[in-house]
Amino acid sequence: RGWVGRASGGGGGERGCGGRIGTGERRETQNGGRPGGAKRGATPPAANSAQDPSAFYRKRGMIAQSGTFPFVGQLRYLAGDSPDTTLALVTLSFANRSLTFTGDGGGQRAAYVVTIDVTEGSTPVRHLDVRKLIRVQSFHETQRDDESVIFQQFVSIAPGTYTFTISVRDDAGSNTSSQQMSVTVPRLGAHTLSTPISVYQVKPRSRTDTVPDLIANPRSTIVLGRDTLAGLYLEGYGLPATARVGVQVLNDAHVVILRDTVNLVRQGDLSSALLDFPVSSIGVGPVTVVASLAGGTDSVQAPLFLSFGDEFGITSFDELLSYLRYFVSPQRIQALRDTPPEQRASAWAAFWKQTDSNPSTPENEALRDYFKRIATASARYRE
């Protein structure tokens, strides 16, 4: 099987959410961007770059805010039940520690409110206030500062240009943040593709008057040494029974590092597929996935970020390699750093294979354990 190639007809759910959901924690979902270096031995990027990645994400067209309630997310688009209706998926992620928890029997509970305002010029178009409840089993989980909560909301809207204002606030405290952005909601008629949605798991829909059952990955972030696949859910509309889509992965230097094709399989009103990317074949750092219908009738794209973990942030290929200076020799790190951009994916795949302490499993246990030790050291010795 190639690096892309599981049609979504068999359903979803194979991919769990890894360590991102604490035991007993509840993620609830309400149903409601198209395309147009560190020196060897240098100190790893400062902790602040990992804790405040908002500028990095916003530069790539995503939703991101820092402040008292940091969050990261995306707007993705699927076809609605008519050519004049588009489903905008608002998906956000943030940390438990932004919320005010109180005792709830043997566990802890908190609530938050997401407000979505859509305007066209000065005319209000949509207003939603969505309140969510979070429960965890222990006080320790309330202090998590990784992506521990996922919010997602479908908003039905006519194609056009709008201003989206998205606000998140702690229901029992003073923490709040907001972002305003101008967006163009596409018209998804015949012979078009949805924007790809980064997902942890998905059960595809077969009718445009429903929504897919999915858990989104709002940060589009894949953790090396822990995650083995990067999944993107893609739909096509008004296509033949089997439609071929070309897929490219571009690295941060805009060089194509992988190419392949995937078939969108028709089910009912639409066609769909889940694109799975083995992370060992991509490398590290930010990449862009571009999907195009055969004949060039439509092209869409989505970001993916391959990181060593939430605490290390999302940075460049060179900066990420600086974290490996205690893992292998300086000569091996420099060899990776000197690899031309178009060869980095294959070089990283070879490095992954050579350093994997247990090749019979899909993850790299040596890298996983190494970054756990770095995270422990960083937490204990912040000064």
Side-chain angles (χ1 to χ4, degrees), residues 8 14 36 43 50 66 81 111 132 168 186 198 201 250 289 328 335 358-359:
S8 63
E14 297 94 336
T43 301
S66 52
D81 58 2
K132 294 291 187 179
V168 188
S198 182
Q201 62 187 46
L250 288 70
V289 179
V328 292
N358 186 1

Side-chain angles (χ1 to χ4, degrees), residues 1-4 15 20 198-200 217 220-232 249 257-258 275-287 289 304-309 317 320 336 344-353 356 361-365 367-368:
R1 188 182 74 169
W3 56 272
V4 169
R15 303 188 68 239
R20 294 192 181 269
S198 182
V199 295
Y200 291 116
N217 179 349
S220 292
T221 298
I222 311 302
V223 177
L224 295 163
R226 184 197 71 191
D227 299 326
T228 57
L229 294 172
L232 288 171
V249 179
I257 56 176
L258 288 174
L275 314 182
D276 272 347
F277 304 85
V279 298
S280 60
S281 300
I282 300 176
V284 292
V287 299
V289 179
L304 278 179
F305 309 103
L306 289 93
S307 171
F308 291 129
F317 181 85
L320 286 171
L336 282 173
R344 285 178 177 175
S346 58
W348 178 259
F351 179 83
W352 181 286
K353 183 177 180 179
D356 190 354
T361 63
E363 68 178 339
N364 186 318
E365 287 82 3
L367 273 174
R368 178 199 65 194

Side-chain angles (χ1 to χ4, degrees), residues 199-263:
V199 295
Y200 291 116
Q201 62 187 46
V202 61
K203 183 177 180 180
R205 61 178 183 162
S206 59
R207 304 200 326 257
T208 55
D209 60 352
T210 63
V211 298
D213 181 8
L214 59 82
I215 298 178
N217 179 349
R219 297 172 188 250
S220 292
T221 298
I222 311 302
V223 177
L224 295 163
R226 184 197 71 191
D227 299 326
T228 57
L229 294 172
L232 288 171
Y233 176 65
L234 181 67
E235 291 185 349
Y237 312 107
L239 303 178
T242 300
R244 186 170 293 273
V245 173
V247 183
Q248 297 181 341
V249 179
L250 288 70
N251 64 14
D252 54 345
H254 306 291
V255 174
V256 176
I257 56 176
L258 288 174
R259 300 177 191 267
D260 211 329
T261 58
V262 62
N263 290 330

Side-chain angles (χ1 to χ4, degrees), residues 30-356:
Q30 286 274 40
N31 289 336
R34 301 172 75 81
K39 296 180 181 179
R40 178 172 54 185
T43 301
N48 286 342
S49 67
Q51 294 167 358
D52 184 14
S54 55
F56 178 91
Y57 286 114
R58 285 198 300 270
K59 184 178 179 181
R60 285 151 180 83
M62 298 172 66
I63 306 166
Q65 270 300 338
S66 52
T68 59
F69 201 127
F71 62 85
V72 176
Q74 297 184 63
L75 274 168
R76 304 276 87 189
Y77 303 106
L78 302 170
D81 58 2
S82 76
D84 295 323
T85 304
T86 298
L87 285 177
L89 172 60
V90 180
T91 177
L92 308 172
S93 68
F94 51 88
N96 280 352
R97 67 182 306 167
S98 297
L99 302 172
T100 302
F101 282 84
T102 58
D104 180 27
Q108 300 279 323
R109 65 181 290 175
Y112 66 93
V113 177
V114 176
T115 300
I116 302 171
D117 282 300
V118 184
T119 58
E120 187 174 19
S122 59
T123 304
V125 176
R126 291 283 187 277
H127 173 83
L128 293 88
D129 282 313
V130 185
R131 184 178 184 272
K132 294 291 187 179
L133 183 65
I134 299 293
R135 290 189 177 92
V136 298
Q137 286 189 341
S138 67
F139 177 78
H140 175 72
E141 287 192 69
T142 70
Q143 301 303 300
R144 288 177 61 174
D145 57 7
D146 61 334
E147 179 197 59
S148 45
V149 181
I150 285 178
F151 167 86
Q152 46 196 53
Q153 173 75 40
F154 284 97
V155 180
S156 181
I157 193 168
T161 300
Y162 303 95
T163 298
F164 272 69
T165 303
I166 299 171
S167 304
V168 188
R169 66 176 173 86
D170 178 13
D171 197 41
S174 59
N175 289 343
T176 184
S177 284
S178 179
Q179 182 177 345
Q180 185 177 89
M181 56 195 304
S182 178
V183 302
T184 299
V185 177
R187 180 180 299 274
L188 297 175
H191 306 291
T192 63
L193 298 171
S194 71
T195 48
I197 303 174
S198 182
V199 295
Y200 291 116
Q201 62 187 46
V202 61
K203 183 177 180 180
R205 61 178 183 162
S206 59
R207 304 200 326 257
T208 55
D209 60 352
T210 63
V211 298
D213 181 8
L214 59 82
I215 298 178
N217 179 349
R219 297 172 188 250
S220 292
T221 298
I222 311 302
V223 177
L224 295 163
R226 184 197 71 191
D227 299 326
T228 57
L229 294 172
L232 288 171
Y233 176 65
L234 181 67
E235 291 185 349
Y237 312 107
L239 303 178
T242 300
R244 186 170 293 273
V245 173
V247 183
Q248 297 181 341
V249 179
L250 288 70
N251 64 14
D252 54 345
H254 306 291
V255 174
V256 176
I257 56 176
L258 288 174
R259 300 177 191 267
D260 211 329
T261 58
V262 62
N263 290 330
L264 294 183
V265 179
R266 188 175 182 88
Q267 302 179 79
D269 296 342
L270 52 87
S271 308
S272 62
L274 179 64
L275 314 182
D276 272 347
F277 304 85
V279 298
S280 60
S281 300
I282 300 176
V284 292
V287 299
T288 301
V289 179
V290 180
S292 304
L293 279 172
T297 55
D298 195 18
S299 180
V300 292
Q301 65 182 36
L304 278 179
F305 309 103
L306 289 93
S307 171
F308 291 129
D310 294 309
E311 62 271 30
F312 303 106
I314 304 293
T315 51
S316 69
F317 181 85
D318 284 346
E319 288 175 320
L320 286 171
L321 290 183
S322 71
Y323 282 115
L324 294 173
R325 71 183 191 274
Y326 301 121
F327 185 65
V328 292
S329 69
Q331 291 78 17
R332 294 190 72 181
I333 299 300
Q334 193 61 37
L336 282 173
R337 185 169 283 121
D338 292 341
T339 301
E342 64 274 12
Q343 299 176 19
R344 285 178 177 175
S346 58
W348 178 259
F351 179 83
W352 181 286
K353 183 177 180 179
Q354 293 162 4
T355 59
D356 190 354

